[in-house]
Amino acid sequence: MSLVEIIALFFVMVMLSLVPSTSVALVVARSSISGFLNGSAVAAGIVVGDLIFVVLAILGMAALAEVMGSLFLILKYMAGGYLIWLGINFLKSRPTVQDEAAGPSASSLSASFLSGLLLTLGDVKAIFFYASLFPSFVDLAAITTTDIAIIVVLTIVAVGGVKLGYAYSAIRVASFAKGFKGERAVKVAAGGFMVGAGVFLIAKA
């Protein structure tokens, strides 16, 4: 890959990661309700999902997506259902933001990571990018080990960096709301958005 191709790919990844989406909504919701570490776990799941797509793209994702179309559809339904379930739990939960000092449980972090991974694997935007746009930036027929390493680093920095930025911003908003007894409003807003995002994801399946 040339320097121009690397910069172009990085810029596109950052821009796509910045666009408000269900993955952004999940990072923000988990961060504002369960703390920065849970938001970071979601971000890690999203990055791993993207890296899986990178591998699939190198192996010929366009053909694989056609053959495994039903599997992608199932993953999309699972991700949408999870978002709806998560949103309902937010709406029903008591207005108590988790104390970061106590630290999140391992099961909570695992659930956050899995939610980010499932959501990404069922994300049509991610599938479209890695199956159609990604090959225009990378010559998959002539890709080298060095190119693969560069792409992995770009994915982690671009996608992970943006999602962590969203997680941090959500924590700041949650702290502000907590100081003004507005925790319930944060949960209602996050829960409602998550339910809506889940319904939208399933409706577009």
Side-chain angles (χ1 to χ4, degrees):
M1 293 177 66
S2 67
L3 180 59
V4 173
E5 290 172 332
I6 292 173
I7 294 174
L9 180 60
F10 179 77
F11 180 77
V12 170
M13 283 185 164
V14 169
M15 291 299 102
L16 289 177
S17 298
L18 283 171
V19 173
S21 61
T22 49
S23 63
V24 170
L26 184 58
V27 170
V28 169
R30 291 297 285 177
S31 298
S32 59
I33 303 304
S34 303
F36 179 74
L37 288 180
N38 271 285
S40 300
V42 173
I46 293 171
V47 170
V48 170
D50 276 49
L51 290 176
I52 289 174
F53 281 139
V54 168
V55 173
L56 293 178
I58 293 172
L59 296 177
M61 184 178 171
L64 185 62
E66 185 176 346
V67 174
M68 302 180 64
S70 58
L71 175 59
F72 285 124
L73 188 62
I74 291 172
L75 288 171
K76 189 174 181 182
Y77 278 125
M78 289 176 61
Y82 182 81
L83 289 177
I84 293 173
W85 174 81
L86 189 63
I88 291 174
N89 280 340
F90 284 167
L91 292 171
K92 292 167 59 178
S93 62
R94 296 180 178 180
T96 52
V97 176
Q98 179 176 315
D99 184 5
E100 285 272 290
S105 65
S107 60
S108 175
L109 291 176
S110 297
S112 294
F113 174 84
L114 183 60
S115 65
L117 177 61
L118 280 176
L119 183 62
T120 302
L121 294 179
D123 187 357
V124 173
K125 183 184 72 173
I127 295 172
F128 174 77
F129 172 74
Y130 287 104
S132 303
L133 298 179
F134 183 72
S136 66
F137 292 94
V138 181
D139 184 358
L140 297 178
I143 195 169
T144 66
T145 303
T146 301
D147 291 333
I148 295 174
I150 291 173
I151 292 169
V152 168
V153 172
L154 288 180
T155 303
I156 293 173
V157 174
V159 179
V162 169
K163 302 307 180 186
L164 286 177
Y166 273 115
Y168 178 76
S169 298
I171 286 297
R172 301 299 297 174
V173 172
S175 298
F176 178 82
K178 183 176 181 180
F180 288 87
K181 311 294 184 181
E183 296 175 35
R184 180 58 186 166
V186 172
K187 286 195 173 185
V188 169
F193 192 85
M194 295 305 293
V195 170
V199 171
F200 178 75
L201 193 62
I202 291 175
K204 289 191 66 178

